[in-house]
């Protein structure tokens, strides 16, 4: 559903006394920048804010997309699902997925200030402590451990009351959350009819689905109430939390509608190539501009575009670059490899309800009334996302797959799969039926062992890179998704539903044997939009990683990667919180390394 607004929006909005967004490279002030940040997404916005906090650093951010004020639906939590396939989406698709019956699936990525945090579903999920400890272990950097990073995550948060002001006692543990950080987070701002029902259904199956007061404590296991990057009924994005508050600074410039097409090899230091320049343009046929930087170029273009830019710049696997006649400057074989993503399967049941969000999707006068309420005072159903409770669950230790496959989770507090509940129909392959009311329990595989790639299609930055997340390509992944469907079925069969659940919808009803469940998964699953790992971090001395623990591209001087690309293993969580935390850490490292590195 798209809800149209009648309101005049300029592409360049003066925001404070001085601050402007430049939308033409020719109008940038002529000055020497110390740092250039490529991409104003989750990580890039954090860096823009932190690096420009020191008045001595002159910082330029270059963002391919437009300002985040071009789409009035961006701030409205409920309308998050309307933001894909718009001007603020790169509109990527995957190559045919062999694990998904050769389907080509949509692969949205935000293309605007805030990046994907301006189009995402706002789930705030810090992830298991075990994930952080594994990142510390595999990179040999104790600075990434939960002990070191938990205070960072906490410092990012500003826990605020939910939009409806309800008493959240018993739904969240406020003691573990930050209260003075830039990212407003809150519990659900509108309690749907489904919420108490999910918790009651869980309470009848306590052994398998224990209640967890706060899934963000470092131990996410169990069923809990969800938390969102939402404050005062509005989306918190990297743009609202980090970038816009810094725009009034004289030492920060932001250039929008401009794509970086290459990072430039500008010299050599002690035999190592230096990359302290960038090339950019506003279209494939427009003028090409270049700029050099004093200190560093920081790539924050996200897990798809960062490896693409590295390869276009001569940093990648030599054999692959040679195919496109790109001269290899740094032979870095893992660029674009190790792509990991979560696989989501929306399982749907018919429910005996007098109202679900299906009604909102079908009846524009209901939608209009909710929209008017949101515009009036940012309350009501549109002040929250369509997702409700959340669950994080493990396969049993005795699962037969562990006879042959090593447990891919990061530790005993880390889930293998996730449940996401919603009071609505949901499907990637089918239209919402014209009648009936539904509930969804999505099964989301969060420890996939499949590994995919981002490669080049050509030597042109204007050709979308082939993306192959290789979803459901391993025995473990198929086993885990099958078990996650069975678990969702057990949950839906809880006596606690009191005749609310009528029965499984569509294919789910007939999928019973393992072969049928597998076929159902391959026919219906898609991505939950969490690609990571394509420029992975590894220890200082390993050659099987792209960046070192200081986020510096190995084999290069003056170039870092700070974004979702650097995770060596995908978080068993919705990744934005960990990305913000990694970017905060990178900013501290950059600020403290400044004297020693140049
Ligand atoms: C539909 C959707 C729903 C999601 N839901 C959730 C959720 O509920 N919770 C959660 O935690 N995570 C969610 N995510 C994932 C999360 O938003 C991303 O993982 C996160 O934003 C990635 O951060 P990043 O900094 O790596 O990249 P991004 O935030 O994607 O930012 C990259 C930026 O770089 C820009 N850029 C790219 N190439 C260039 C170039 N060549 N020149 C200039 N600029 C460039 C892009 O336009 C973009 O603005 C969702 C993502 C999507 C797409
Ligand atoms: C994505 O697709 C939509 C709908 O077709 C289109 O309006 C938009 O311009 C596209 N986005 C980009 C970045 O090309
Ligand atoms: C919220 O509810 C709890 C338990 O029901 C109660 O102890 C507490 O006083 C309430 N808080 C407010 C602010 O009303
Ligand atoms: C950037 O640096 C390179 C190498 O030092 C130089 O050749 C080039 O002219 C510089 N470009 C600009 C725009 O200053
Ligand atoms: C839409 O909802 C309104 C308000 O509940 C109701 O009066 C109207 O009959 C509904 N329209 C349709 C087509 O169902
Ligand atoms: C918000 O507006 C709605 C109607 O538009 C009203 O019913 C509600 O009481 C208002 N809430 C607050 C907190 O002002
Ligand atoms: C639907 O729920 C109502 C109570 O809310 C109950 O009276 C009715 O029997 C239920 N219908 C079915 C088909 O279970
Ligand atoms: C890297 O260094 C660590 C510790 O210093 C050492 O244990 C490891 O063997 C080294 N690895 C390689 C590939 O040299």
């Amino acid at each position: 559903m798209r809800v149209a607004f009648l309101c005049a929006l300029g592409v360049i909005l003066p925001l404070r006394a001085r601050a402007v967004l430049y939308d033409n490279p020719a109008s940038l002030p002529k000055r020497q920048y110390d740092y250039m940040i490529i991409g104003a997404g989750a990580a890039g916005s954090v860096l823009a804010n932190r690096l420009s906090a020191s008045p001595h650093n002159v910082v330029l951010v270059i963002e391919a997309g437009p300002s985040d004020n071009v789409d009035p639906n961006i701030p409205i939590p409920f309308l998050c699902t309307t933001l894909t396939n718009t001007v603020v989406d790169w509109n990527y698709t995957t190559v045919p997925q062999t694990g998904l019956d050769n389907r080509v699936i949509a692969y949205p990525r935000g293309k605007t200030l805030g990046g994907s945090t301006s189009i995402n579903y706002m789930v705030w999920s810090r992830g298991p402590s075990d994930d952080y400890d594994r990142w510390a272990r595999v990179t040999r950097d104790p600075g990434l451990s939960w002990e070191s990073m938990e205070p960072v995550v906490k410092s990012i948060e500003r826990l605020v009351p939910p939009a409806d002001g309800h008493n959240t006692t018993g739904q969240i543990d406020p003691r573990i959350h930050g209260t003075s950080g830039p990212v407003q987070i809150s519990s659900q701002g509108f309690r749907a009819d489904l919420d108490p029902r999910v918790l009651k259904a869980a309470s009848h199956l306590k052994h398998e689905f224990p209640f967890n007061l706060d899934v963000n404590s470092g131990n996410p296991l169990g069923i809990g109430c969800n938390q969102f990057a939402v404050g005062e009924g509005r989306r918190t994005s990297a743009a609202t939390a980090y970038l816009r508050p810094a725009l009034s600074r004289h030492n920060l410039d932001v250039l929008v509608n401009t794509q970086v097409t290459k990072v430039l090899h500008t010299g050599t230091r002690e035999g190592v190539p230096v990359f302290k320049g960038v090339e950019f343009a506003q279209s494939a046929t427009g003028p090409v501009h270049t700029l050099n930087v004093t200190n560093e170029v920081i790539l924050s273009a996200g897990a798809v575009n960062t490896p693409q830019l590295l390869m276009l710049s001569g940093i990648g696997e030599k054999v692959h670059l040679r195919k496109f006649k790109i001269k290899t400057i740094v032979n870095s074989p893992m660029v674009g490899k190790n792509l990991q993503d979560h696989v989501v399967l929306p399982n749907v049941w018919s429910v005996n309800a007098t109202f679900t969000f299906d009604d909102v999707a079908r009846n524009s006068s209901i939608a209009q009334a909710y929209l008017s309420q949101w515009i009036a005072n940012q309350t009501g159903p549109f002040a929250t996302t369509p997702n409700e409770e959340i669950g994080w669950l493990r396969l049993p230790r005795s699962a037969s797959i562990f006879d042959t496959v090593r447990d891919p989770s990061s530790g005993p507090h880390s889930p293998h799969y996730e449940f996401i509940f919603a009071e609505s129909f949901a499907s990637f392959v089918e239209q919402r039926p014209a009648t009936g009311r539904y509930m969804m329990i999505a099964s989301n595989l969060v420890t996939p062992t499949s590994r995919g790639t981002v490669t080049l299609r050509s030597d042109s930055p204007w050709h979308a890179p082939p993306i192959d997340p290789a979803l459901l390509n391993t025995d473990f992944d198929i086993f885990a998704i099958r078990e996650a469907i069975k678990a969702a079925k057990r949950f839906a069969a809880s006596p606690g539903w009191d005749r609310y659940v009528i029965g499984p919808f569509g294919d789910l009803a007939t999928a019973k044997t393992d072969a049928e469940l597998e076929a159902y998964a391959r026919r219906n699953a898609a991505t939950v939009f969490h690609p990571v790992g394509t420029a992975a971090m590894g220890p200082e001395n390993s050659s099987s990683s792209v960046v070192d623990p200081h986020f510096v591209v190995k084999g290069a001087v003056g170039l870092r990667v700070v974004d979702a690309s650097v995770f060596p293993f995908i978080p068993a969580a919705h990744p934005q919180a960990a990305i913000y935390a990694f970017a905060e850490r990178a900013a501290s490292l950059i600020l403290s390394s400044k004297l020693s590195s140049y």
Side-chain angles (χ1 to χ4, degrees):
M1 156 192 40
R2 273 200 77 75
V3 179
F5 273 76
L6 292 173
C7 71
L9 295 161
V11 173
I12 308 181
L13 279 194
L15 287 155
R16 303 269 167 78
R18 186 205 77 91
V20 282
L21 301 174
Y22 295 93
D23 94 334
N24 182 349
S27 58
L28 273 182
K30 302 277 170 282
R31 54 174 166 174
Q32 179 64 32
Y33 293 101
D34 297 307
Y35 295 98
M36 289 195 289
I37 299 165
I38 314 313
S45 297
V46 173
L47 290 163
N49 185 308
R50 297 309 184 202
L51 298 184
S52 67
S54 161
H56 306 296
N57 293 329
V58 184
V59 179
L60 174 66
V61 179
I62 304 179
E63 167 54 48
S67 167
D68 57 341
N69 64 20
V70 296
D71 190 326
N73 287 359
I74 288 176
I76 309 176
F78 193 85
L79 299 182
C80 58
T81 56
T82 68
L83 301 171
T84 48
N85 256 290
T86 66
V87 292
V88 293
D89 180 4
W90 285 85
N91 295 341
Y92 289 137
T93 53
T94 64
V95 303
Q97 293 296 285
T98 52
L100 303 179
D101 293 345
N102 282 317
R103 280 182 295 129
V104 166
I105 61 167
Y107 221 64
R109 298 280 84 204
K111 188 181 187 183
T112 182
L113 299 182
S116 298
T117 69
S118 289
I119 68 165
N120 75 13
Y121 295 177
M122 291 158 274
V123 173
W124 186 254
S125 136
R126 294 168 164 190
S129 59
D130 289 335
D131 274 2
Y132 293 79
D133 292 340
R134 174 163 65 182
W135 294 325
R137 215 162 48 240
V138 302
T139 63
R140 295 208 192 85
D141 182 355
L144 293 173
S145 67
W146 176 250
E147 185 179 275
S148 303
M149 292 298 275
E150 189 270 345
V152 177
V153 184
K154 195 170 181 179
S155 74
I156 290 166
E157 299 175 340
R158 178 190 298 264
L159 180 64
V160 296
D164 62 2
H166 79 269
N167 185 337
T168 58
T169 303
Q171 296 169 11
I172 185 171
D173 181 358
R175 292 168 310 173
I176 66 170
H177 291 287
T179 53
S180 55
V183 177
Q184 292 199 329
I185 61 163
S186 55
S187 299
Q188 261 170 292
F190 175 82
R191 298 292 285 169
D193 188 38
L194 184 68
D195 296 307
R197 293 180 189 276
V198 171
L199 298 178
K200 190 168 173 212
S203 74
H204 280 74
L205 302 171
K206 275 202 189 79
H207 180 69
E208 184 175 7
F209 305 109
F211 178 69
N212 185 339
L213 174 63
D214 199 312
V215 292
N216 278 328
S217 68
N219 180 355
L221 298 179
I223 304 286
C225 299
N226 219 334
Q227 298 164 25
F228 300 96
V230 171
E232 293 155 18
R234 306 171 71 89
R235 170 193 298 270
T236 311
S237 69
T240 68
Y242 283 97
L243 192 67
R244 289 188 174 277
L247 280 180
S248 59
R249 295 177 186 158
H250 294 279
N251 58 331
L252 174 65
D253 293 330
V254 179
L255 176 60
V256 294
N257 291 316
T258 304
Q259 187 170 327
V260 170
T261 49
K262 199 175 189 179
V263 183
L264 297 171
H265 179 200
T266 51
T268 313
R269 206 182 70 182
E270 291 163 15
V272 183
V274 175
F275 290 84
K276 292 195 183 180
V278 297
E279 180 189 277
F280 46 96
Q282 297 201 285
S283 69
T285 52
V288 174
H289 304 260
T290 62
L291 266 183
N292 287 350
V293 70
T294 309
N295 292 347
E296 295 194 22
V297 174
I298 302 163
L299 274 181
S300 297
V304 173
N305 292 40
T306 283
Q308 180 196 25
L309 264 174
L310 286 170
M311 290 185 277
L312 291 169
S313 311
I315 303 172
E317 185 187 32
K318 197 169 188 167
V319 220
H320 186 59
L321 301 189
R322 197 184 291 139
K323 275 191 214 158
F324 306 100
K325 304 202 163 55
I326 296 170
K327 183 170 173 265
T328 300
I329 302 167
V330 179
N331 183 17
S332 185
M334 289 306 286
V335 171
K337 310 272 178 61
N338 191 48
L339 173 60
Q340 299 169 50
D341 199 359
H342 295 153
V343 187
V344 72
L345 186 55
N347 308 299
V348 173
W349 283 262
S350 299
V351 296
N352 174 17
T354 51
F355 177 88
T356 55
F357 290 136
D358 297 300
D359 295 278
V360 185
R362 290 184 191 128
N363 183 328
S364 61
S365 59
I366 298 177
Q368 202 53 51
Y370 288 170
L371 180 61
S372 302
Q373 178 176 357
W374 188 89
I375 292 170
N377 57 25
Q378 290 83 57
T379 68
F382 276 26
T384 200
T385 83
N387 291 332
E388 291 151 60
E389 274 63 30
I390 195 161
W392 299 99
L393 302 153
R394 280 182 71 76
L395 298 171
R397 205 189 290 262
S398 59
S400 60
I401 191 76
F402 295 134
D403 297 345
T404 50
V405 176
R406 198 172 145 212
D407 181 356
S409 74
S410 57
H413 300 305
S414 180
H416 295 109
Y417 63 92
E418 177 192 7
F419 282 168
I420 307 169
F421 295 87
E423 187 184 90
S424 167
F425 183 82
S427 172
F428 292 104
V429 296
E430 273 184 90
Q431 294 294 322
R432 184 190 313 272
T435 58
R437 295 193 171 94
Y438 303 93
M439 122 181 135
M440 173 193 81
I441 308 178
S443 300
N444 179 16
L445 168 59
V446 296
T447 53
T449 61
S450 301
R451 297 290 182 266
T453 56
V454 172
T455 49
L456 291 179
R457 189 178 308 279
S458 77
D459 67 352
S460 165
W462 307 97
H463 287 164
I467 303 168
D468 181 8
L471 301 180
L472 293 184
N473 264 15
T474 63
D475 291 346
F476 175 83
D477 291 4
I478 274 294
F479 180 91
I481 199 86
R482 270 195 329 243
E483 293 308 309
I485 305 165
K486 293 179 196 168
K489 286 188 166 192
R490 288 193 294 276
F491 195 99
S494 167
W497 290 108
D498 292 338
R499 286 182 301 161
Y500 179 78
V501 176
I502 296 170
F505 172 84
D507 287 353
L508 181 63
T510 48
K512 296 207 164 98
T513 65
D514 279 357
E516 288 162 354
L517 290 168
E518 176 177 335
Y520 161 77
R522 295 198 191 280
R523 202 157 48 231
N524 291 283
T527 172
V528 68
F529 324 117
H530 299 162
V532 307
T534 47
M537 184 185 285
E540 214 77 61
N541 63 354
S542 95
S543 57
S544 58
S545 50
V546 178
V547 301
D548 73 15
H550 287 181
F551 300 80
V552 174
V553 174
K554 293 180 172 184
V557 171
L559 182 61
R560 296 194 212 226
V561 170
V562 184
D563 62 25
S565 313
V566 305
F567 291 109
F569 288 95
I570 192 166
H574 298 248
Q576 65 180 348
I579 295 167
Y580 282 130
F582 268 52
E584 288 276 12
R585 175 167 172 77
S588 311
L589 292 170
I590 292 167
L591 290 170
S592 63
S593 74
K594 197 176 163 189
L595 294 175
S596 57
S597 324
Y598 310 112

